Amino acid sequence: MQIKDIYDKYLIEEIKKVEFLARVRTHRQGKVVSFLVLNDGTTLNDVQVVYKPEVKGYSEIQNARVSSVVKVWGELVLTPDKPQPFEIQANEVALLDEAAEDYPLQKKEHSPEFLREIAHLRVRTKTFQSIFRLRSSLAYAIHKFFQEQNYVYVNAPIITGNDAEGAGEAFLVTTRTDGNHEEDFFGKKASLSVSGQLHAEAYAQAFNKIYTFGPTFRAEESNTSRHAAEFWMIEPEIAFIDLAKNLEIIENMIKFVINYVFENNKAELEFCDANLEEGLINKLTNAKDSKFVTNTYEQAIEILQKAVEQGKEFENKNIKFGMDLGSEHERYICEEVYKSPVFIINYPKDIKAFYMKLNDDNITVAASDLLVPGIGELVGGSQREDDFGKLKKRCLEMNVNINELDWYNNLRNYGYYKSAGFGLGFERLVMYITGASNIRDVISFPRTPKNLLF
Ligand code: 4AD
Ligand code: MG
């Protein structure tokens, strides 16, 4: 038996006899009765076991330390007058493996920083059990959303010969120390993928609707609570659609995954609401039940300028058309102005990637970022430039290596018509759904600047 089975069935099947293996969370000994609080990881719920000196195995389990693994045989007794719905009165107990005295997760509050240093153990705490079970459900919900609508799941390559965003922040892949890439493994410079989008576009032209969901690497030095050097990205790409449809898909997807975890992870969400972000469930309920706001970049600039006039203290108060929005600006718009997820569309071309479709004004591109409270940018997407000549011109203007991208640009010559898609940072989604405030706490073993433990 597992503890989840007991919780799922004890009311329906009137379980009396139980037998299970679990880990000790707390152990309180008394002369007449002793109490073990056990958890086996299958559910957030613990089980309280009561045992007396006359049970079989008493002498061996008597001093069982926190984190030891034990086996219990006993009777389930309902306890309507206590906080837990039932307890187990043990007939027999066995100590299967004793934990050492220096187990670092003894019963007290630990700081997130300390827990990051023991990332191999922190996942046994209720906080991390909630976060990582939600992460698992969210991954499943994302696949479910796309698979149910006939999208094809594509695995884009991880080693690439180009830097998709043209931002020059990729990790080099090499077997040499001399930097001679002509003699290197691939006979040229190679790097870890910063995005699967370019390959995704090729597949969208074949299957119409596709998505990738895989590891992504960025060597940005930004040491923030929302950037990791290794993270997971979901990149859907859809042929024949424009920007408006792209926004609709993003909104539907986010609402779908919120509904999925509401139906399947109530206990974890309640734990996160109580321990990570007060009002989390309210925030998510509002997001799933209301229409996301859409503003143009120009409108966003006007909002920010007005805020500065009214005395809002931004670190960067020099708000003008053409600037890149900082995270303080993004968060002001979605947290303080709208208190809701907000799409910002039609950014100036100079602050966006070369592949975004140029609008008729020749100044802005058909970009669509989604900003959410607590995080800022959750999604970055766009309609793609479908005109071969314009795309090539943008490559040249932005110093993108045109030879490496010949195959990509050439897609436009073989019946491309339209295409749009987006990239959703999976860890940022997990942060938004769990209320965790640091990306280091939603990825199992985080990789960030100057940090490669485990
Ligand atoms: O906005 P980005 O850079 O967009 C792209 O990569 C496009 N190729 C997507 C597309 O249109 N197919 O990244 C997409 C998202 C961001 O909105 C953010 O959520 C996440 O990826 N992201 C990161 N997450 C964690 N750590 C980092 N260093 C991240 N960089 C981007
Ligand atoms: Mg972006």
Side-chain angles (χ1 to χ4, degrees):
M1 263 179 204
Q2 297 193 313
I3 292 177
K4 180 173 191 309
D5 300 328
I6 302 175
Y7 269 94
D8 285 349
K9 293 182 193 151
Y10 78 98
L11 281 178
I12 313 164
E13 294 181 14
E14 282 195 44
I15 297 176
K16 282 232 64 97
K17 286 216 172 313
V18 297
E19 174 185 336
F20 60 90
L21 273 69
R23 189 178 299 282
V24 177
R25 262 200 205 283
T26 62
H27 194 178
R28 188 156 49 88
Q29 287 125 305
K31 280 209 181 68
V32 189
V33 283
S34 301
F35 299 92
L36 281 164
V37 174
L38 304 179
N39 186 283
D40 70 355
T42 58
T43 159
L44 269 190
N45 291 320
D46 297 327
V47 161
Q48 168 149 294
V49 174
V50 187
Y51 69 96
K52 296 185 173 156
E54 52 271 24
V55 300
K56 197 167 165 207
Y58 179 80
S59 58
E60 125 184 51
I61 208 163
Q62 214 183 354
N63 298 312
R65 299 190 193 105
V66 172
S67 191
S68 298
V69 179
V70 299
K71 182 164 183 181
V72 174
W73 295 260
E75 323 263 323
L76 186 149
V77 180
L78 298 179
T79 50
D81 50 330
K82 293 190 181 167
Q84 68 274 19
F86 60 80
E87 64 186 23
I88 308 299
Q89 291 178 357
N91 301 322
E92 184 176 346
V93 285
L95 179 61
L96 302 184
D97 196 42
E98 174 77 303
E101 227 161 332
D102 64 355
Y103 180 65
L105 290 170
Q106 303 294 337
K107 207 189 164 191
K108 62 175 158 84
E109 289 277 320
H110 300 287
S111 71
E113 291 78 15
F114 169 73
L115 290 168
R116 279 172 214 144
E117 288 168 20
I118 52 162
H120 58 310
L121 298 174
R122 69 175 179 175
V123 65
R124 298 177 185 188
T125 64
K126 282 192 196 292
T127 300
F128 288 91
Q129 295 248 301
S130 301
I131 292 173
F132 285 97
R133 194 172 286 283
L134 277 163
R135 182 178 166 121
S136 165
S137 282
L138 285 167
Y140 180 70
I142 286 164
H143 280 293
K144 191 168 153 67
F145 175 79
F146 289 116
Q147 294 286 336
E148 284 178 358
Q149 296 179 70
N150 198 35
Y151 283 66
V152 170
Y153 175 41
V154 175
N155 300 121
I158 286 173
I159 300 174
T160 67
N162 59 62
D163 168 1
E165 302 295 304
E169 49 198 26
F171 288 102
L172 204 59
V173 176
T174 180
T175 55
R176 299 182 71 91
T177 51
D178 62 2
N180 179 354
H181 298 305
E182 266 163 37
E183 299 296 319
D184 210 339
F185 190 91
F186 296 104
K188 65 182 196 183
K189 201 170 159 189
S191 51
L192 292 179
S193 177
V194 298
S195 160
Q197 178 198 324
L198 306 189
H199 304 90
E201 281 186 46
Y203 269 68
Q205 290 300 318
F207 288 107
N208 190 283
K209 298 191 284 192
I210 66 100
Y211 69 106
T212 70
F213 189 167
T216 309
F217 307 87
R218 293 194 184 178
E220 297 166 284
E221 284 289 346
S222 25
N223 213 339
T224 78
S225 58
R226 299 170 330 278
H227 288 88
E230 177 179 313
F231 61 101
W232 284 62
M233 213 198 305
I234 296 106
E235 295 192 275
E237 186 73 27
I238 305 96
F240 314 152
I241 69 159
D242 59 14
L243 194 73
K245 185 76 188 158
N246 203 32
L247 301 189
E248 212 179 282
I249 296 167
I250 296 168
E251 183 166 343
N252 288 343
M253 171 188 173
I254 289 171
K255 291 179 173 176
F256 181 92
V257 303
I258 296 175
N259 277 313
Y260 184 86
V261 295
F262 271 37
E263 277 165 32
N264 293 279
N265 296 92
K266 198 159 172 280
E268 287 80 13
L269 285 170
E270 281 169 0
F271 185 89
C272 290
D273 190 303
N275 294 280
L276 291 175
E277 181 182 339
E278 207 190 317
L280 175 75
I281 292 177
N282 245 333
K283 172 190 85 176
L284 296 175
T285 306
N286 288 340
K288 81 181 177 63
D289 293 341
S290 59
K291 179 102 188 81
F292 293 2
V293 176
T294 302
N295 273 185
T296 62
Y297 168 89
E298 199 176 0
Q299 289 170 322
I301 292 293
E302 282 162 15
I303 289 171
L304 295 169
Q305 283 170 336
K306 201 171 283 169
V308 171
E309 274 166 30
Q310 290 169 355
K312 173 75 191 169
E313 289 293 331
F314 290 122
E315 245 167 68
N316 177 6
K317 281 188 274 192
N318 185 16
I319 310 288
K320 52 173 192 276
F321 190 97
M323 73 183 290
D324 212 349
L325 302 182
S327 122
E328 55 172 347
H329 307 123
E330 295 176 337
R331 292 185 59 173
Y332 172 77
I333 293 171
C334 59
E335 286 168 21
E336 293 181 44
V337 181
Y338 293 109
K339 299 181 177 57
S340 146
V342 179
F343 284 112
I344 308 283
I345 59 169
N346 299 337
Y347 284 77
K349 64 179 178 185
D350 296 331
I351 57 168
K352 288 292 183 187
F354 73 96
Y355 50 69
M356 296 190 182
K357 185 175 173 61
L358 193 59
N359 289 326
D360 292 340
D361 60 13
N362 268 322
I363 297 167
T364 60
V365 286
S368 54
D369 280 8
L370 179 68
L371 316 178
V372 298
I375 311 285
E377 181 187 335
L378 173 64
V379 176
S382 66
Q383 185 176 340
R384 320 306 185 187
E385 182 55 76
D386 45 53
D387 181 281
F388 180 80
K390 286 185 187 166
L391 183 62
K392 203 163 162 190
K393 187 161 167 269
R394 287 304 288 153
C395 282
L396 294 172
E397 282 168 3
M398 297 182 84
N399 284 323
V400 174
N401 184 336
I402 213 152
N403 297 328
E404 279 301 333
L405 288 178
D406 224 18
W407 64 271
Y408 171 76
N409 290 346
N410 255 320
L411 289 171
R412 275 73 184 164
N413 290 329
Y414 305 131
Y416 187 88
Y417 189 53
K418 284 177 183 164
S419 188
F422 61 91
L424 175 126
F426 187 48
E427 283 70 22
R428 293 198 187 168
L429 177 70
V430 180
M431 289 171 75
Y432 179 61
I433 301 287
T434 61
S437 57
N438 196 306
I439 197 164
R440 291 162 183 78
D441 299 331
V442 299
I443 187 159
S444 55
F445 298 100
R447 276 81 176 92
T448 50
K450 304 286 178 292
N451 168 41
L452 184 60
L453 297 170
F454 308 97

